[in-house]
Amino acid sequence: MTGDSGQKTTLYQWIGGMEPIGRLVDAFYHQMDTVPEARDLRAMHPSDLAETKRVLTLYLAQWMGGPGDYSAERGHPRLRARHLGFQIGEAERDAWLLCMKRALDETIPDARGRQAILGALAPLADFMRNQQAG
Ligand code: HEM
């Protein structure tokens, strides 16, 4: 993103680094635990989300231009391949994005930062689909 000074800033810097990303991920899975539309999505995940949260935090930090700890630990993201074991159609994609939108609204005060993140995650979530519509 481009800041007021005209300098290029990573999304990671823009939203304030690791701390807010951790809060975003906590809020995301809290939404998944509570939003009725996300019940089936939640059921795909382990009951204990500690490791899932840790890994998504590392991934998002790297994806936003922050430290590369995710790949240092797990190699190339191969995100679509890693999701092939789960049945992901439009409903799952929409539920995932709904939880993320609400979590962003809760934890990222900067509206441009929120929009930039959601706008970039929407096509990524769509790319995770591996089930035909209908
Ligand atoms: C679109 C619907 C999606 C569904 C249904 C879904 C579901 C899942 C599930 C069930 C897991 C396994 C969790 C675990 O065993 O701990 C997982 C892992 C993961 N998901 Fe998703 N996901 C979706 C989209 C996304 C998107 C858009 C991203 C990127 C921001 C993402 C990032 C990840 C990461 C980084 C992991 C951990 C991968 C690893 O083990 O290294 N997911 N996802």
Side-chain angles (χ1 to χ4, degrees):
M1 288 179 67
T2 308
D4 293 337
S5 63
Q7 264 189 325
K8 287 273 180 215
T9 313
T10 63
L11 261 177
Y12 179 83
Q13 292 167 321
W14 186 276
I15 66 163
M18 204 51 117
E19 231 261 319
I21 297 175
R23 285 202 302 271
L24 171 66
V25 168
D26 275 344
F28 172 69
Y29 286 111
H30 180 71
Q31 289 294 334
M32 209 188 276
D33 266 332
T34 44
V35 167
E37 294 94 316
R39 193 176 302 151
D40 294 347
L41 174 60
R42 176 64 183 88
M44 294 179 181
H45 290 75
S47 50
D48 180 352
L49 289 170
E51 177 66 5
T52 310
K53 284 183 182 179
R54 189 185 70 82
V55 174
L56 185 61
T57 303
L58 292 184
Y59 175 83
L60 287 176
Q62 179 173 312
W63 176 80
M64 291 185 201
D69 297 357
Y70 176 89
S71 283
E73 195 180 295
R74 300 177 88 83
H76 190 283
R78 301 184 302 107
L79 214 53
R80 192 165 193 282
R82 287 188 205 268
H83 284 78
L84 285 177
F86 310 107
Q87 297 203 346
I88 304 181
E90 288 181 350
E92 291 74 20
R93 174 201 64 193
D94 291 348
W96 196 99
L97 285 169
L98 176 65
C99 294
M100 184 53 76
K101 181 178 185 314
R102 292 188 178 178
L104 284 163
D105 288 345
E106 271 181 14
T107 58
I108 308 292
D110 183 277
R112 281 176 67 197
R114 286 201 300 273
Q115 269 171 4
I117 295 168
L118 195 67
L121 281 175
L124 188 55
D126 191 57
F127 181 59
M128 292 306 141
R129 279 193 300 123
N130 51 35
Q131 304 289 305
Q132 291 299 319

